[in-house]
Amino acid sequence: MRLSRKAAGFVAAATLFTVVVPAAAAVASPRSTCYGGRVCLYAGFDYNRGQIDHWRDFIKDDSDLSDNNWLNWDFSNSWHSMDNETSSVRNRVGCSVTLWQHAEFTGAHSTFTHNSNDGFLANNAIGNNRTSAIDIWCR
Ligand SMILES: [Ca+2]
Ligand SMILES: [Ca+2]
Ligand SMILES: [Ca+2]
């Protein structure tokens, strides 16, 4: 009796887990969405539309993106370095964010206010495929 209740509970928990995880991944497909409280960087223009969906979100500063890899659409590791590859950005983090050309927050840079989107960094000071550090002003 006790054993079967436990077994049933385990099955229910396992079912909940398998249902929730794929749903979260599908919703998050960062091509179209960036969660509140995060800054999302994309390897392609226009938030990767029509391109390989290499992306990553941040909740705090990162002074050197050379040790960060892009994520794939399903949150798996692309094993592809983020350094000098950012082409578009969405900011939902709650404050301004500055992208920097070089590690440790130096060189050319551009600042993006909360709730802003820029699908084309080639016409910003930071430029296309140059970002090497991200400064999140509120964290
Ligand atoms: Ca890093
Ligand atoms: Ca732009
Ligand atoms: Ca750089």
Side-chain angles (χ1 to χ4, degrees), residues 112 117-124:
F112 304 89
N117 307 299
D118 197 319
F120 188 73
L121 294 184
N123 59 5
N124 298 65

Side-chain angles (χ1 to χ4, degrees), residues 3 21 40 54 56 67 74 120-121:
L3 197 66
V21 167
C40 299
H54 284 174
R56 189 164 200 116
D67 58 1
D74 60 356
F120 188 73
L121 294 184

Side-chain angles (χ1 to χ4, degrees), residues 87-137:
S87 297
S88 54
V89 57
R90 289 188 196 274
N91 181 5
R92 301 287 179 271
V93 81
C95 60
S96 290
V97 169
T98 302
L99 301 182
W100 289 89
Q101 180 185 3
H102 302 307
E104 305 304 329
F105 317 114
T106 60
H109 54 279
S110 297
T111 296
F112 304 89
T113 56
H114 172 62
N115 257 341
S116 64
N117 307 299
D118 197 319
F120 188 73
L121 294 184
N123 59 5
N124 298 65
I126 181 63
N128 184 38
N129 294 341
R130 292 211 298 177
T131 298
S132 293
I134 179 170
D135 180 15
I136 298 177
W137 295 20

Side-chain angles (χ1 to χ4, degrees), residues 49-84:
R49 184 175 311 192
Q51 301 158 79
I52 294 174
D53 201 8
H54 284 174
W55 71 287
R56 189 164 200 116
D57 57 8
F58 291 85
I59 58 172
K60 60 185 176 62
D61 293 350
D62 197 315
S63 63
D64 184 2
L65 296 182
S66 65
D67 58 1
N68 297 68
N69 290 331
W70 293 110
L71 299 177
N72 293 308
W73 65 274
D74 60 356
F75 289 69
S76 63
N77 191 334
S78 73
W79 300 109
H80 195 101
S81 172
M82 291 187 68
D83 198 27
N84 300 320

Side-chain angles (χ1 to χ4, degrees), residues 31-53:
R31 197 184 297 260
S32 56
T33 263
C34 182
Y35 282 133
R38 291 158 189 264
V39 185
C40 299
L41 304 185
Y42 304 85
F45 290 132
D46 203 15
Y47 325 106
N48 296 340
R49 184 175 311 192
Q51 301 158 79
I52 294 174
D53 201 8

